[in-house]
Protein backbone atom coordinates (compact mmCIF):
# COMPACT_ATOMS: atom_id res chain seq x y z
CA UNK A 1 0.00 0.00 0.00
CA UNK A 2 2.84 2.40 0.84
CA UNK A 3 4.35 1.91 -2.62
CA UNK A 4 0.99 2.59 -4.28
CA UNK A 5 0.47 5.72 -2.20
CA UNK A 6 3.94 6.88 -3.07
CA UNK A 7 3.29 6.36 -6.78
CA UNK A 8 0.06 8.34 -6.59
CA UNK A 9 1.82 11.23 -4.84
CA UNK A 10 4.53 11.32 -7.48
CA UNK A 11 2.08 11.14 -10.34
CA UNK A 12 0.18 14.09 -8.90
CA UNK A 13 3.15 16.42 -9.03
CA UNK A 14 2.77 19.18 -11.63
CA UNK A 15 4.90 19.00 -14.75
CA UNK A 16 7.47 21.75 -15.18
CA UNK A 17 9.40 22.87 -18.20
CA UNK A 18 12.87 23.10 -16.71
CA UNK A 19 14.95 20.01 -16.06
CA UNK A 20 17.77 19.57 -13.58
CA UNK A 21 21.11 21.08 -14.47
CA UNK A 22 23.69 18.59 -15.71
CA UNK A 23 26.13 18.03 -12.84
CA UNK A 24 29.35 18.37 -14.81
CA UNK A 25 31.37 17.42 -11.74
CA UNK A 26 29.78 13.95 -11.91
CA UNK A 27 29.99 13.31 -15.67
CA UNK A 28 33.31 13.03 -17.54
CA UNK A 29 33.85 15.51 -20.39
CA UNK A 30 33.08 14.16 -23.88
CA UNK A 31 35.89 12.18 -25.44
CA UNK A 32 37.64 11.21 -22.22
CA UNK A 33 39.08 7.70 -22.32
CA UNK A 34 41.02 5.52 -19.93
CA UNK A 35 44.79 5.94 -19.86
CA UNK A 36 46.74 3.29 -21.80
CA UNK A 37 48.37 0.70 -19.61
CA UNK A 38 52.14 0.42 -19.39
CA UNK A 39 53.62 -2.68 -21.04
CA UNK A 40 53.17 -5.83 -18.98
CA UNK A 41 56.28 -6.63 -16.96
CA UNK A 42 55.07 -9.85 -15.39
CA UNK A 43 55.45 -8.37 -11.92
CA UNK A 44 53.16 -10.07 -9.40
CA UNK A 45 51.07 -7.64 -7.40
CA UNK A 46 49.20 -7.96 -4.10
CA UNK A 47 46.77 -6.00 -1.97
CA UNK A 48 46.96 -5.80 1.83
CA UNK A 49 45.60 -8.87 3.61
CA UNK A 50 45.39 -11.12 0.54
CA UNK A 51 47.59 -14.12 -0.21
CA UNK A 52 46.68 -13.96 -3.91
CA UNK A 53 48.97 -12.48 -6.57
CA UNK A 54 48.15 -11.24 -10.07
CA UNK A 55 49.93 -9.49 -12.90
CA UNK A 56 48.56 -6.17 -14.10
CA UNK A 57 47.17 -7.85 -17.23
CA UNK A 58 45.23 -10.27 -15.04
CA UNK A 59 43.99 -7.41 -12.86
CA UNK A 60 42.73 -5.62 -15.97
CA UNK A 61 41.13 -8.73 -17.47
CA UNK A 62 37.46 -8.55 -18.49
CA UNK A 63 36.87 -12.28 -18.04
CA UNK A 64 39.41 -13.34 -15.40
CA UNK A 65 39.51 -10.34 -13.03
CA UNK A 66 41.06 -10.73 -9.57
CA UNK A 67 39.21 -12.29 -6.68
CA UNK A 68 41.49 -11.13 -3.89
CA UNK A 69 39.50 -12.62 -1.02
CA UNK A 70 37.71 -15.75 -2.31
CA UNK A 71 36.98 -17.02 1.21
CA UNK A 72 35.03 -13.90 2.16
CA UNK A 73 32.00 -14.21 -0.12
CA UNK A 74 29.49 -16.89 -1.15
CA UNK A 75 30.26 -19.19 -4.10
CA UNK A 76 30.40 -16.97 -7.16
CA UNK A 77 28.33 -17.84 -10.25
CA UNK A 78 30.31 -18.16 -13.48
CA UNK A 79 28.60 -15.16 -15.11
CA UNK A 80 29.63 -13.03 -12.12
CA UNK A 81 33.21 -14.28 -11.88
CA UNK A 82 34.03 -14.78 -15.56
CA UNK A 83 31.27 -13.36 -17.74
CA UNK A 84 30.95 -15.12 -21.07
CA UNK A 85 33.69 -14.59 -23.63
CA UNK A 86 33.68 -11.28 -25.48
CA UNK A 87 29.93 -10.92 -25.20
CA UNK A 88 29.62 -10.43 -21.44
CA UNK A 89 32.22 -8.94 -19.14
CA UNK A 90 32.59 -10.52 -15.68
CA UNK A 91 30.37 -8.61 -13.24
CA UNK A 92 33.18 -8.37 -10.67
CA UNK A 93 35.49 -6.66 -13.14
CA UNK A 94 33.45 -3.52 -12.42
CA UNK A 95 31.35 -4.19 -9.31
CA UNK A 96 34.10 -6.18 -7.52
CA UNK A 97 33.45 -9.30 -5.44
CA UNK A 98 31.71 -7.18 -2.79
CA UNK A 99 29.25 -5.61 -5.24
CA UNK A 100 30.44 -2.10 -4.33
CA UNK A 101 32.63 -1.28 -7.30
CA UNK A 102 33.69 2.28 -7.97
CA UNK A 103 31.73 5.58 -8.17
CA UNK A 104 30.81 4.94 -11.80
CA UNK A 105 29.11 1.65 -10.80
CA UNK A 106 25.92 1.18 -8.81
CA UNK A 107 26.40 -0.35 -5.36
CA UNK A 108 24.34 -3.53 -5.38
CA UNK A 109 24.24 -5.02 -1.84
CA UNK A 110 21.09 -4.02 0.02
CA UNK A 111 18.95 -4.03 -3.12
CA UNK A 112 16.54 -6.91 -3.62
CA UNK A 113 17.27 -9.55 -6.25
CA UNK A 114 14.04 -8.55 -7.96
CA UNK A 115 15.10 -4.91 -8.23
CA UNK A 116 18.56 -5.79 -9.59
CA UNK A 117 17.09 -8.24 -12.12
CA UNK A 118 14.59 -5.61 -13.26
CA UNK A 119 17.36 -3.07 -13.87
CA UNK A 120 19.28 -5.62 -15.93
CA UNK A 121 16.14 -6.34 -17.96
CA UNK A 122 15.59 -2.61 -18.52
CA UNK A 123 19.16 -2.18 -19.73
CA UNK A 124 18.59 -5.14 -22.07
CA UNK A 125 15.38 -3.66 -23.48
CA UNK A 126 17.03 -0.27 -23.90
CA UNK A 127 14.58 1.69 -21.74
CA UNK A 128 17.30 2.38 -19.17
CA UNK A 129 20.26 4.23 -20.63
CA UNK A 130 23.28 6.01 -19.20
CA UNK A 131 25.67 3.05 -19.01
CA UNK A 132 26.87 2.01 -22.46
CA UNK A 133 28.68 -1.11 -21.28
CA UNK A 134 25.62 -2.42 -19.46
CA UNK A 135 23.47 -1.92 -22.55
CA UNK A 136 25.91 -4.10 -24.49
CA UNK A 137 26.43 -6.86 -21.93
CA UNK A 138 22.80 -7.34 -20.97
CA UNK A 139 21.71 -7.82 -24.57
CA UNK A 140 23.84 -10.98 -24.59
CA UNK A 141 22.73 -12.25 -21.17
CA UNK A 142 20.03 -14.85 -20.71
CA UNK A 143 17.20 -14.39 -18.23
CA UNK A 144 18.74 -17.12 -16.06
CA UNK A 145 22.14 -15.40 -16.04
CA UNK A 146 20.54 -12.12 -14.99
CA UNK A 147 18.59 -13.88 -12.23
CA UNK A 148 21.70 -15.66 -10.98
CA UNK A 149 23.79 -12.48 -10.93
CA UNK A 150 21.01 -10.53 -9.18
CA UNK A 151 20.65 -13.18 -6.48
CA UNK A 152 24.41 -13.24 -5.84
CA UNK A 153 24.77 -9.48 -5.36
CA UNK A 154 21.56 -9.22 -3.33
CA UNK A 155 22.99 -11.79 -0.90
CA UNK A 156 26.11 -9.76 -0.08
CA UNK A 157 26.46 -7.77 3.16
CA UNK A 158 25.95 -4.02 3.22
CA UNK A 159 28.84 -1.81 4.34
CA UNK A 160 30.08 1.76 4.11
CA UNK A 161 32.20 2.38 1.02
CA UNK A 162 32.44 6.19 0.84
CA UNK A 163 33.00 8.65 3.67
CA UNK A 164 31.79 12.22 3.18
CA UNK A 165 33.79 15.24 4.35
CA UNK A 166 32.74 18.89 4.08
CA UNK A 167 35.62 21.11 2.99
CA UNK A 168 36.43 24.28 1.07
CA UNK A 169 39.43 22.87 -0.82
CA UNK A 170 39.91 19.55 -2.59
CA UNK A 171 42.69 17.68 -4.37
CA UNK A 172 43.12 18.55 -8.03
CA UNK A 173 41.65 15.74 -10.08
CA UNK A 174 41.08 14.45 -13.59
CA UNK A 175 38.80 11.86 -15.19
CA UNK A 176 40.35 8.50 -16.04
CA UNK A 177 37.61 7.05 -18.18
CA UNK A 178 34.46 7.58 -16.11
CA UNK A 179 36.30 7.70 -12.76
CA UNK A 180 37.73 10.82 -11.12
CA UNK A 181 41.33 10.41 -9.88
CA UNK A 182 43.74 12.72 -8.03
CA UNK A 183 46.41 14.35 -10.20
CA UNK A 184 49.71 12.47 -9.75
CA UNK A 185 51.54 15.77 -9.19
CA UNK A 186 49.16 16.72 -6.39
CA UNK A 187 47.83 20.21 -5.65
CA UNK A 188 44.53 21.58 -4.35
CA UNK A 189 41.76 23.86 -5.60
CA UNK A 190 38.49 25.38 -4.30
CA UNK A 191 35.65 22.87 -4.27
CA UNK A 192 33.06 25.25 -5.69
CA UNK A 193 29.57 23.77 -5.94
CA UNK A 194 30.68 20.20 -6.56
CA UNK A 195 31.10 16.85 -4.87
CA UNK A 196 34.54 15.43 -5.59
CA UNK A 197 34.75 11.68 -4.98
CA UNK A 198 38.20 10.10 -5.18
CA UNK A 199 39.86 6.88 -3.97
CA UNK A 200 41.17 6.71 -0.43
CA UNK A 201 44.16 4.95 -2.04
CA UNK A 202 44.46 5.42 -5.81
CA UNK A 203 46.94 2.56 -6.27
CA UNK A 204 44.73 0.02 -4.47
CA UNK A 205 41.69 1.07 -6.49
CA UNK A 206 43.65 0.49 -9.71
CA UNK A 207 44.37 -3.02 -8.38
CA UNK A 208 40.60 -3.56 -7.94
CA UNK A 209 41.03 -4.03 -4.20
CA UNK A 210 37.54 -4.66 -2.74
CA UNK A 211 38.65 -3.33 0.64
CA UNK A 212 39.85 0.12 -0.44
CA UNK A 213 36.99 2.62 -0.66
CA UNK A 214 36.42 6.28 -1.47
CA UNK A 215 36.23 9.73 0.07
CA UNK A 216 33.72 12.33 -1.14
CA UNK A 217 34.39 16.01 -0.52
CA UNK A 218 31.32 18.26 -0.29
CA UNK A 219 30.94 22.04 0.14
CA UNK A 220 30.49 23.30 3.72
CA UNK A 221 26.81 23.35 4.69
CA UNK A 222 25.73 20.90 2.00
CA UNK A 223 24.83 18.12 4.45
CA UNK A 224 22.41 20.35 6.38
CA UNK A 225 20.89 21.58 3.12
CA UNK A 226 20.61 18.01 1.89
CA UNK A 227 18.88 16.91 5.09
CA UNK A 228 16.24 19.61 4.58
CA UNK A 229 15.57 18.56 0.99
CA UNK A 230 15.54 14.85 1.78
CA UNK A 231 13.34 15.15 4.87
CA UNK A 232 10.94 17.95 3.86
CA UNK A 233 11.19 18.48 0.11
CA UNK A 234 12.64 21.97 0.56
CA UNK A 235 9.47 24.06 0.68
CA UNK A 236 7.85 22.44 -2.32
CA UNK A 237 10.89 22.15 -4.58
CA UNK A 238 10.53 18.38 -4.51
CA UNK A 239 8.92 15.81 -2.22
CA UNK A 240 10.70 14.28 0.75
CA UNK A 241 12.91 11.38 -0.36
CA UNK A 242 12.01 9.60 2.86
CA UNK A 243 8.40 9.10 1.69
CA UNK A 244 9.46 6.46 -0.85
CA UNK A 245 13.00 5.46 0.16
CA UNK A 246 12.15 5.12 3.86
CA UNK A 247 12.95 7.21 6.95
CA UNK A 248 16.61 6.11 6.88
CA UNK A 249 16.84 6.06 3.05
CA UNK A 250 17.55 2.32 3.10
CA UNK A 251 14.70 1.48 0.76
CA UNK A 252 11.17 0.13 1.14
CA UNK A 253 10.20 -3.07 -0.70
CA UNK A 254 11.13 -2.69 -4.36
CA UNK A 255 12.09 0.97 -3.87
CA UNK A 256 15.90 0.90 -3.60
CA UNK A 257 17.97 2.32 -0.79
CA UNK A 258 20.10 5.40 -1.49
CA UNK A 259 21.81 5.71 1.90
CA UNK A 260 25.55 5.23 1.50
CA UNK A 261 25.42 5.16 -2.30
CA UNK A 262 28.13 6.96 -4.23
CA UNK A 263 27.24 10.67 -4.52
CA UNK A 264 28.44 10.54 -8.13
CA UNK A 265 26.02 7.70 -8.87
CA UNK A 266 23.18 9.55 -7.14
CA UNK A 267 23.87 12.75 -9.07
CA UNK A 268 24.03 10.97 -12.41
CA UNK A 269 20.76 9.13 -11.83
CA UNK A 270 18.93 12.28 -10.69
CA UNK A 271 19.98 14.02 -13.87
CA UNK A 272 19.18 11.07 -16.16
CA UNK A 273 15.73 10.68 -14.63
CA UNK A 274 15.05 14.41 -14.86
CA UNK A 275 15.84 14.44 -18.57
CA UNK A 276 14.05 11.16 -19.28
CA UNK A 277 17.27 9.42 -20.39
CA UNK A 278 16.70 6.85 -17.64
CA UNK A 279 13.30 5.29 -18.18
CA UNK A 280 11.82 2.03 -16.97
CA UNK A 281 9.23 0.87 -14.46
CA UNK A 282 9.61 3.54 -11.78
CA UNK A 283 11.79 6.18 -13.45
CA UNK A 284 8.89 8.19 -14.96
CA UNK A 285 7.50 8.68 -11.45
CA UNK A 286 10.83 10.20 -10.39
CA UNK A 287 10.92 12.65 -13.28
CA UNK A 288 8.46 15.09 -11.73
CA UNK A 289 10.23 14.78 -8.38
CA UNK A 290 13.69 15.77 -9.62
CA UNK A 291 13.26 17.99 -12.67
CA UNK A 292 13.17 21.26 -10.68
CA UNK A 293 16.39 20.48 -8.81
CA UNK A 294 19.35 22.80 -9.39
CA UNK A 295 22.99 21.74 -9.36
CA UNK A 296 23.22 23.03 -5.77
CA UNK A 297 20.25 20.86 -4.79
CA UNK A 298 21.79 17.80 -6.44
CA UNK A 299 25.09 18.43 -4.62
CA UNK A 300 23.25 18.63 -1.30
CA UNK A 301 21.03 15.58 -1.82
CA UNK A 302 23.87 13.44 -3.17
CA UNK A 303 26.23 14.40 -0.34
CA UNK A 304 23.66 13.87 2.40
CA UNK A 305 22.40 10.52 1.10
CA UNK A 306 25.97 9.29 0.65
CA UNK A 307 26.83 10.32 4.22
CA UNK A 308 24.14 8.10 5.74
CA UNK A 309 24.76 4.62 7.09
CA UNK A 310 23.80 2.14 4.34
Amino acid sequence: MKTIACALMLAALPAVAAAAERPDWAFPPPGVTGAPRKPETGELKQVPGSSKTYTQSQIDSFNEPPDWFPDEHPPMPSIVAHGRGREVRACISCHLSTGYGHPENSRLPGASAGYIARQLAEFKSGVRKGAANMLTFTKAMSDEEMKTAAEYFASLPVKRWTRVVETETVPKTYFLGTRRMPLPEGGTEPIGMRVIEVPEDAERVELRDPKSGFIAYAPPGSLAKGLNLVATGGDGKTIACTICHGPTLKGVGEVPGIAGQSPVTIARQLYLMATGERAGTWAPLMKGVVEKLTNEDIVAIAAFAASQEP
Side-chain angles (χ1 to χ4, degrees):
M1 288 296 295
K2 185 169 184 178
T3 302
I4 295 172
C6 176
L8 291 174
M9 288 186 67
L10 301 183
L13 286 173
V16 293
E21 300 173 37
R22 182 183 177 93
D24 292 336
W25 49 269
F27 287 89
V32 170
T33 60
R37 289 291 183 189
K38 296 178 182 179
E40 177 61 77
T41 64
E43 175 190 358
L44 292 175
K45 301 185 177 183
Q46 280 186 292
V47 301
S50 175
S51 62
K52 307 277 284 185
T53 58
Y54 298 93
T55 65
Q56 191 61 55
S57 293
Q58 290 173 317
I59 291 167
D60 295 337
S61 172
F62 285 179
N63 294 107
E64 299 295 333
D67 184 3
W68 292 108
F69 303 96
D71 297 331
E72 297 186 11
H73 58 73
M76 197 178 289
S78 179
I79 195 69
V80 172
H82 307 294
R84 181 159 39 76
R86 295 186 177 182
E87 291 183 307
V88 185
R89 181 172 176 169
C91 302
I92 66 166
S93 67
C94 291
H95 293 280
L96 307 181
S97 59
T98 57
Y100 276 80
H102 300 149
E104 65 270 28
N105 315 130
S106 295
R107 295 173 186 177
L108 305 176
S112 70
Y115 174 80
I116 297 172
R118 186 167 68 248
Q119 299 314 302
L120 292 173
E122 290 179 352
F123 276 124
K124 184 171 185 173
S125 71
V127 297
R128 178 172 176 178
K129 298 179 175 63
N133 285 339
M134 290 299 297
L135 289 167
T136 301
F137 304 148
T138 53
K139 287 187 186 305
M141 291 177 72
S142 68
D143 291 345
E144 184 59 30
E145 286 172 333
M146 290 192 285
K147 178 177 180 290
T148 299
E151 289 174 348
Y152 172 77
F153 286 112
S155 75
L156 298 178
V158 176
K159 65 178 183 178
R160 177 167 291 286
W161 193 229
T162 294
R163 62 187 180 97
V164 179
V165 176
E166 291 187 332
T167 182
E168 293 182 351
T169 59
V170 294
K172 289 185 176 180
T173 57
Y174 72 107
F175 272 104
L176 180 66
T178 57
R179 183 186 316 150
R180 190 181 286 276
M181 299 288 282
L183 284 176
E185 60 268 29
T188 61
E189 62 185 4
I191 190 169
M193 191 48 62
R194 305 178 295 168
V195 177
I196 302 298
E197 187 173 12
V198 293
E200 295 271 16
D201 185 318
E203 183 178 352
R204 288 175 66 182
V205 163
E206 288 296 284
L207 296 176
R208 291 180 174 161
D209 183 350
K211 293 190 176 182
S212 186
F214 291 78
I215 179 170
Y217 299 103
S222 55
L223 296 184
K225 188 173 297 181
L227 171 59
N228 178 55
L229 285 163
V230 165
T232 73
D235 297 324
K237 176 163 284 190
T238 182
I239 71 164
C241 305
T242 51
I243 292 175
C244 295
H245 293 280
T248 59
L249 303 181
K250 294 180 181 179
V252 176
E254 287 295 293
V255 179
I258 56 175
Q261 272 282 356
S262 160
V264 166
T265 296
I266 294 170
R268 290 179 182 181
Q269 299 313 307
L270 290 175
Y271 174 79
L272 293 171
M273 286 186 286
T275 61
E277 293 173 68
R278 176 174 173 178
T281 307
W282 292 101
L285 299 176
M286 281 292 297
K287 191 175 190 301
V289 176
V290 301
E291 61 187 353
K292 289 195 290 184
L293 298 177
T294 64
N295 177 67
E296 185 174 350
D297 298 330
I298 291 175
V299 165
I301 291 171
F304 177 77
S307 74
Q308 299 304 290
E309 198 62 31

